[in-house]
Amino acid sequence: QSVLTQAPSLSGTPGQRVTISCSGSNSNIGSTSVNWFQQLPGTAPKLLISTSNHRPSGVPDRFSGSKSGTSASLAISGLRTDDEADYYCAAWDVSLDAWVFGGGTKVTVL
Amino acid sequence: VQMEQSGAELKKPGASVRVSCKASGYSLSAYGFSWVRQAPGQGLEWVGQITVYNGETKIAQKFQGRVTMTVDSSMGTANLNLGRLKSDDSAVYYCARLHDADGMDVWGQGTTVIVSS
């Protein structure tokens, strides 16, 4: 049972805009910023959106993050076949004094 | 910037394992190391972190008493030690560079640990 809640899967067609949601609480997303990671099959996670809400060098601007209250979202615009991956949110939890992750959302491009 | 991890390990239940992570291409003192694991077919799970400049550690509650983390600044290496291994500790263990503002921004390739009798 993950502390942050994500939908297990979602799908879209090439060129579409999809949004991945991450729900938390006042002790994590409500108090701190969110990291978003992309994990392609068989590879290590890769940072997409930093806790300072920046995209690291090399991450396309098709990926964008936002936050409202105790929820955060990752939007992917202009969906491509190579965006098929698992996407994870993470945030520091001030009560647990620990990083907490969402369970991951598997994005399928139809 | 690179985080290069040690090779796969096969351990028996009750044993201990050490996973190493060699960092290069940046100044270690400005960052920390975070450790995250992923069991087969499962999501990401935070294990703990260590700050390089003062050695302060934070460990997830479920691992307290079984995990120690160290950093050798001269070698640019961080180590994760996990003791009293159980079969459900079988996972890929990742190290990640930890930045105060950006979070876990660069990841190692992962180290597979298999616990089996």
Side-chain angles (χ1 to χ4, degrees):
Chain A
Q1 196 89 356
S2 301
V3 173
L4 305 182
T5 301
Q6 297 181 241
S9 63
L10 67 81
S11 60
T13 55
Q16 190 177 6
R17 174 185 169 94
V18 297
T19 301
I20 301 166
S21 297
C22 175
S23 176
S25 67
N26 287 326
S27 64
N28 42 65
I29 296 177
S31 301
T32 64
S33 300
V34 178
N35 267 167
W36 285 97
F37 302 98
Q38 177 193 61
Q39 187 175 34
L40 298 169
T43 69
K46 169 189 168 184
L47 180 66
L48 286 180
I49 305 291
S50 73
T51 45
S52 55
N53 206 29
H54 292 145
R55 282 185 305 275
S57 174
V59 175
D61 59 6
R62 300 186 297 105
F63 294 91
S64 61
S66 63
K67 188 182 94 165
S68 177
T70 59
S71 294
S73 297
L74 174 72
I76 309 174
S77 59
L79 193 65
R80 299 166 39 134
T81 56
D82 58 0
D83 294 332
E84 278 206 344
D86 294 321
Y87 293 84
Y88 293 91
C89 58
W92 183 258
D93 191 297
V94 297
S95 294
L96 295 174
D97 205 23
W99 281 93
V100 291
F101 282 90
T105 298
K106 183 176 184 61
V107 170
T108 301
V109 182
L110 301 172
Chain B
V1 176
Q2 282 194 309
M3 314 291 278
E4 188 70 29
Q5 296 186 225
S6 52
E9 301 271 7
L10 173 61
K11 296 291 183 180
K12 294 190 182 304
S16 297
V17 68
R18 184 175 78 171
V19 179
S20 297
C21 174
K22 181 166 177 57
S24 60
Y26 70 96
S27 174
L28 260 66
S29 60
Y31 297 83
F33 290 86
S34 190
W35 291 94
V36 175
R37 77 178 188 180
Q38 186 171 36
Q42 302 300 308
L44 302 174
E45 179 179 33
W46 183 73
V47 176
Q49 67 186 41
I50 183 166
T51 305
V52 173
Y53 79 93
N54 64 1
E56 180 188 13
T57 60
K58 293 182 186 288
I59 301 170
Q61 187 171 16
K62 70 177 286 187
F63 298 108
Q64 288 179 5
R66 290 204 298 141
V67 160
T68 56
M69 292 175 289
T70 59
V71 169
D72 183 338
S73 298
S74 64
M75 298 292 291
T77 301
N79 298 298
L80 170 72
N81 291 272
L82 179 60
R84 301 197 302 278
L85 288 167
K86 303 170 284 186
S87 58
D88 61 4
D89 289 319
S90 295
V92 177
Y93 288 75
Y94 295 102
C95 68
R97 188 176 75 167
L98 183 63
H99 187 265
D100 279 348
D102 294 332
M104 292 174 270
D105 65 350
V106 181
W107 291 60
Q109 82 276 20
T111 296
T112 299
V113 174
I114 297 173
V115 182
S116 174
S117 54

